[in-house]
Amino acid sequence: MARVARAPKLDLASVLNSQNPQIDLRLDAFEVSTQNFLRAVSNYTQRALTEIANRKNVHLTTRKKLAEKAQAVEVETNQCKLKEIELIKVIDSELEERKEAETLVATFRRQLSAARDRCAALEGEVEQHRTLAADMSRERERERLLLESHAAKIAPEVVHCADRLQCQIEGVDKDKILIRFLQLDTHNSNREFSLVLDVSSRSYKVSTMTPILPNLPIMLDDLNKNRDIYAFIKRIRVAYLVLIG
């Protein structure tokens, strides 16, 4: 709990005995205290108004949802009534067609037998597909384990290269590499120096770059010729240092 500062005890006798009697009313402290109190009241009022507005919006949203739900229920009820009328008509029609239906029972039984045979054949096909899916799943699992093994071997190399080149290298999106250079501008440590290299095709591309280097097309052409990404990163870093001056 905050401790309230108290004014020192006033010695009236010594004040009156002085040549220029003066009493320090501590008006500055009173003004600061008053401003703090008014600010606290204003903040409380603003929070209260915000809370009231939020609750009002929630209430209006809830009412709107309830109204929409009631309307949907009413529409569904009307549709059910229409379906009920149609169903009554269908029942009447079925009663009239009952005799004809008895004649078709034999045909339906033959169709049922044929359908069962077809189902048996389909079950065989489904079993084959399940076996194939299981084989594919096991193959994907082997591929995943192989990729994880390669990634575990490559990760230390990437970290080593990043330390040597003083940059961060990470994969973004699909077949894209984000290269962020570190500690370039000693006067502005938050300044961004980065590029996104697209390696999805034989010809490498730069999707984005901050800031843009004028000689980027030349360095990119050289990269597509020599395929040396590490040398490309070094040239980019040197070009940024020259740009900073």
Side-chain angles (χ1 to χ4, degrees):
M1 184 175 180
R3 182 176 297 175
V4 180
R6 297 183 178 180
K9 186 176 181 181
L10 178 64
D11 188 352
L12 183 60
S14 61
V15 172
L16 294 176
N17 290 332
S18 63
Q19 294 181 355
N20 297 317
Q22 294 181 352
I23 298 176
D24 186 4
L25 298 180
R26 300 176 66 84
L27 295 179
D28 293 339
F30 176 75
E31 178 67 20
V32 172
S33 177
T34 302
Q35 292 296 329
N36 290 337
F37 174 75
L38 293 177
R39 191 178 298 109
V41 171
S42 176
N43 291 337
Y44 175 79
T45 303
Q46 186 62 36
R47 289 196 299 270
L49 292 175
T50 302
E51 180 65 20
I52 291 172
N54 291 337
R55 292 185 179 183
K56 180 180 178 181
N57 291 334
V58 171
H59 177 68
L60 292 177
T61 302
T62 303
R63 287 186 58 187
K64 182 179 179 181
K65 289 182 178 179
L66 291 175
E68 291 175 350
K69 186 175 181 180
Q71 185 177 3
V73 170
E74 183 179 359
V75 171
E76 185 177 357
T77 301
N78 293 332
Q79 291 177 350
C80 289
K81 290 180 180 179
L82 293 176
K83 289 181 179 180
E84 182 181 3
I85 295 173
E86 293 177 357
L87 183 59
I88 292 174
K89 293 180 180 180
V90 171
I91 292 175
D92 293 339
S93 177
E94 288 180 351
L95 291 175
E96 295 176 357
E97 296 174 354
R98 182 174 180 178
K99 293 180 179 180
E100 296 179 1
E102 292 176 353
T103 306
L104 297 175
V105 168
T107 303
F108 290 153
R109 286 178 179 176
R110 289 192 297 269
Q111 292 177 352
L112 178 59
S113 179
R116 286 176 178 173
D117 294 339
R118 179 58 179 165
C119 287
L122 290 175
E123 287 178 358
E125 294 180 5
V126 168
E127 188 61 30
Q128 292 178 357
H129 287 301
R130 286 177 180 173
T131 303
L132 180 60
D135 293 340
M136 292 179 64
S137 179
R138 287 191 294 270
E139 182 65 23
R140 289 181 179 177
E141 182 64 18
R142 286 195 294 269
E143 291 178 357
R144 183 185 66 82
L145 294 176
L146 180 61
L147 290 175
E148 289 180 353
S149 176
H150 288 324
K153 295 178 181 178
I154 294 175
E157 298 180 2
V158 173
V159 173
H160 177 70
C161 292
D163 292 339
R164 292 291 301 273
L165 298 174
Q166 292 186 343
C167 65
Q168 291 180 347
I169 302 175
E170 58 181 299
V172 293
D173 229 343
K174 183 179 181 182
D175 298 326
K176 291 184 180 180
I177 301 174
L178 171 62
I179 304 171
R180 183 180 289 110
F181 297 92
L182 308 174
Q183 302 176 359
L184 288 183
D185 193 343
T186 57
H187 300 290
N188 185 3
S189 59
N190 295 325
R191 188 176 178 184
E192 178 76 10
F193 295 92
S194 64
L195 62 92
V196 175
L197 185 63
D198 188 344
V199 296
S200 59
S201 62
R202 176 68 182 173
S203 178
Y204 295 143
K205 301 176 183 177
V206 173
S207 301
T208 59
M209 187 177 199
T210 305
I212 298 176
L213 293 173
N215 58 340
L216 173 64
I218 298 175
M219 292 187 287
L220 197 57
D221 288 341
D222 294 340
L223 170 62
N224 287 316
K225 291 177 182 177
N226 56 39
R227 319 300 294 178
D228 190 343
I229 295 181
Y230 300 132
F232 173 73
I233 295 176
K234 289 181 180 179
R235 292 184 66 185
I236 293 293
R237 180 178 179 82
V238 171
Y240 274 143
L241 291 174
V242 172
L243 180 66
I244 295 172

